[in-house]
Amino acid sequence: MRTAPTGRRSLLTLSALFISSASFISSVSAAPVLEEVLVTAQKRSESTQDIPVAVTGLSGDSLDKLGFDSAVDIGAQVPNMQVSGAYGEVQPIFSIRGVSMSDYSSNQASPIGVYVDEAYLGPTYSHGASFFDVERLEVLRGPQGTLYGKNTTGGAINIITRTPRFDGEGSRYLKAGAGNFGATTLEAGAEAELIPGTLAARLSGKIKQDDGWMEIKGQSEDGAATDFRGGRLALNWLINDRWDAVFKYTASKNDGTSTPPKGEGRTPTPDGNDIDYTGYSRPKSLGFHEVESNASGDLNTRTDLSVLTINYNADNYTLTSVSSYLDADYYQEQDTDGGPKGLLEILWASDSQSYSQDLRFTSAFDGMFNIIAGLYYGFEDLAMHNTYLIFSDFPDPRVVLAKPDTLGDAPYLIDVGQVVHRMDVEKESAAAYTQMRFDFTANFGMDIGLRYTRDTNTMPYLNLSRYTDDGEPVGTWVPGNPTGVDNGWIRLDSNSALAILSNPATLSAATAGGYTHGPFTTASAPELESTEKEWTGKIGVDYRFSEEWMAYASYSKGYRAGSFNGGVYYVSRTIDGGAYAAPEYIDAYEVGFKADLLGNSMRLNAAAFYYDYTDQQFINVVGISNFLENAGASSIKGVEAELWARATERLTLQMAVGFLETEFSELSLANTETLDDPDDQVDLSGNELISAPAVNASVSADYDILLTDSGYLSVNANASYQGDQWFSAYNDRNGYGEIRQDAYWLINGRLGWYANDGSYSVSLWGKNLTDEEYHVYALNLQANFGFDEYIAGPPRTYGVEVSYNF
């Protein structure tokens, strides 16, 4: 008997789960009702069931029950969403509906906008720094070009932290935990009224430490360790009957360790081994979470965020001002090759300061018309300082025998030493926006949104220079390369190249005039600037068939600002000549419905969408050069559904499923197997998009096992599924067939005893209970280094947590 393909079997299984769950719930009479979920996704407090937007809202209590303790956990219960923690928990990489970020450069903004208390966070390394004392999490799927603006082509994530209250019902808690890998956590929050009825204050903080789960053989310190400390002060001031203000200051710091990649050699040798260019072959005896890295080191981030929100509350409108200031920096010592020799090691460093101001008018008129209108200004100054250490160890002579005709650039790289890349970027953004709501009848409404954005990106400083392994300056490529050759060296004839690898003594003579640098300088290449003026927006209609059923249809346009190439190149470039990636755009068409069923004991939301994706930005690695490029065009089709149900007083279910069909319709990239011919291009049209699995799903169940007069024993079991996905636009072409991840499940659980009065709880928890082995990122570095790079996802973790509420 013929069996269905894995993806199709998964689809059938998940569909059957949805149908059987709905059938089971419908057979249960007098089920308890679900709680209403309020969100501020459209800049006003509304129920998720009343807004024609695909949004998932999770309360702080829900986050606790699901075991979310970092931003990396967000994607576990949201359809068509993934979160990668390739660079640690404080630097998550988000993907929604196939719209993702493959660029690891710190100057690049994510296409998923991340907001903390309405403050936009540009640097990706700041996205996980505020994930403690959270009141609510909101994930908006689809372009948010009207109310959120640029860099939200895929969606937006709102993290709303707790604000002190005046009714005495504010959350006050102390939570402590311990787990494997030496993990310890301590989180607390408390508040009080400093002036009764006028001024309230809240203090909260979190400490999280562990020894790391990536074992580095022969080293005393493991990789992927966490040492996080964060604190927040929140002030709530009711100035008078009309005016109020909330100020929040968050400071956080992580002094952890980098997650060392695993390097898999892809250069075959006559003796049957696969090696990298230093001759290293990863031993099969190493476990999935073990490496022999020689240079993996610190991963440090620091974030200071201040947000001031002021409201003037009139009888039928509100004026709001949101001012923010962010100071964040980042440093990482990454052993990119993941082996015991000096092949490719990178020191990443970045420092960013930004501020923003949003002024808006929000109406609460009686009648059919309401409006939100505002003005926005933002500015970011980001300085990047990356150091690439290349071929500290000499290549293995077997490389000559293995690839005599396709050596790539390896012979020329062995005397490079260090490449230091310094770049400053300034991003200025100004916008005017409005979203108008027309309720033509009690059941039929329309939203019309429009936003005009003016972005100016400036690169006032760029320098690419070469140093010796000891850090002594040698020369500069940009500025000053006199040859006009966009390469770090001038090629020698093949006999000279082979001689270098065969006899290291010939190195200095053969390469003495080979490098195309000018005299050493710290001066800058000419300043570059680009200004973009863009219109984005939305038009949507919705119809409520009853109090329980609402359907909607919409068209929206999203825009991600252009960006300067944060990778290595060797001659000064122009805006149109490779120094800058143009903006990307999405035209999104969506239909969906939202339904509260069975007396509000079951909630079912679903959507279908089509994206016309133009000029998608992504990083393309060719040799040791990195190019931020635009794909000509691509398309994304998908459907998704979410189900929540209170089946009984004891049982609550949550399920989500998403299906994607993605395709590059226009894309040509360099053939990385023939680097001698820079004009050799590969047509990749028809390939799937990066990080866009065809099937994804999640399920969560809460069941109260035992009920007593003093408390109850409850279990939460949740699981998430990700289908097969590619990490490269090449898919399986040109030696990229291994840059992928097969489908996998992650299963988590929590067993807890909860006091009936809410005063305390004691819980046992576990994540990735089946110890699934999977990768969250991969990169093909075969062309000049002979290996593929993989970053592993976390193994099984478990622990105990005690919480006291007062």
Side-chain angles (χ1 to χ4, degrees), residues 25 28 30-37 47 49-50 544 546-549 594-604 643-648 652:
I25 296 161
V28 179
V33 299
L34 290 165
E35 293 182 359
E36 183 181 39
V37 179
S47 168
Q49 299 306 98
D50 290 337
R544 184 165 290 281
S546 67
E547 288 294 324
E548 293 79 24
W549 280 88
K594 297 187 175 186
D596 286 326
L597 307 172
L598 305 177
N600 291 332
S601 65
M602 184 169 76
R603 183 171 297 147
L604 178 62
L643 173 74
W644 299 265
R646 285 291 304 273
T648 69
T652 301

Side-chain angles (χ1 to χ4, degrees), residues 35-41 44-48 50 57-58 135-138:
E35 293 182 359
E36 183 181 39
V37 179
L38 297 177
V39 295
T40 52
R44 61 172 91 228
S45 182
E46 300 167 294
S47 168
T48 57
D50 290 337
L58 295 170
E135 178 181 305
R136 188 173 69 256
L137 174 70
E138 303 169 0

Side-chain angles (χ1 to χ4, degrees), residues 250-265:
T250 303
S252 63
K253 188 176 183 181
N254 180 62
D255 294 323
T257 59
S258 175
T259 303
K262 299 182 296 180
E264 293 286 355

Side-chain angles (χ1 to χ4, degrees), residues 41-262:
Q42 296 198 117
K43 307 298 184 181
R44 61 172 91 228
S45 182
E46 300 167 294
S47 168
T48 57
Q49 299 306 98
D50 290 337
I51 57 176
V53 175
V55 57
T56 299
L58 295 170
S59 68
D61 290 340
S62 297
L63 297 177
D64 287 340
K65 280 223 168 183
L66 290 168
F68 289 11
D69 71 342
S70 75
V72 174
D73 297 318
I74 292 175
Q77 298 296 316
V78 179
N80 282 326
M81 182 178 184
Q82 295 183 87
V83 186
S84 163
Y87 301 108
E89 292 183 354
V90 294
Q91 192 180 357
I93 304 298
F94 299 107
S95 172
I96 296 178
R97 291 180 171 177
V99 181
S100 63
M101 176 180 176
S102 63
D103 188 358
Y104 43 76
S105 300
S106 58
N107 69 301
Q108 176 69 308
S110 170
I112 313 300
V114 177
Y115 299 80
V116 173
D117 298 317
E118 294 199 60
Y120 172 67
L121 306 185
T124 57
Y125 50 84
S126 67
H127 288 175
S130 298
F131 204 82
F132 61 93
D133 200 35
V134 173
E135 178 181 305
R136 188 173 69 256
L137 174 70
E138 303 169 0
V139 180
L140 292 82
R141 300 185 296 281
Q144 306 298 319
T146 301
L147 296 177
Y148 293 86
K150 70 171 185 176
N151 301 339
T152 57
T153 46
I157 297 170
N158 288 333
I159 300 171
I160 296 93
T161 64
R162 289 190 173 100
T163 299
R165 298 168 57 173
F166 293 93
D167 55 12
E169 298 297 324
S171 170
R172 295 179 291 274
Y173 68 95
L174 177 65
K175 185 164 53 178
N180 60 334
F181 299 108
T184 57
T185 60
L186 180 64
E187 184 176 340
E191 61 186 61
E193 291 189 41
L194 303 182
I195 303 175
T198 300
L199 181 63
R202 181 175 182 85
L203 288 173
S204 59
K206 182 176 182 177
I207 299 173
K208 182 178 181 181
Q209 297 177 321
D210 61 62
D211 298 332
W213 44 261
M214 199 73 183
E215 183 179 352
I216 303 177
K217 294 294 186 179
Q219 302 291 327
S220 59
E221 191 173 41
D222 289 332
T226 303
D227 186 4
F228 175 84
R229 291 92 68 202
R232 180 178 300 117
L233 167 66
L235 298 173
N236 189 358
W237 183 19
L238 300 182
I239 302 171
N240 55 39
D241 292 342
R242 297 291 190 182
W243 291 89
D244 64 73
V246 174
F247 172 76
K248 294 181 179 179
Y249 170 68
T250 303
S252 63
K253 188 176 183 181
N254 180 62
D255 294 323
T257 59
S258 175
T259 303
K262 299 182 296 180

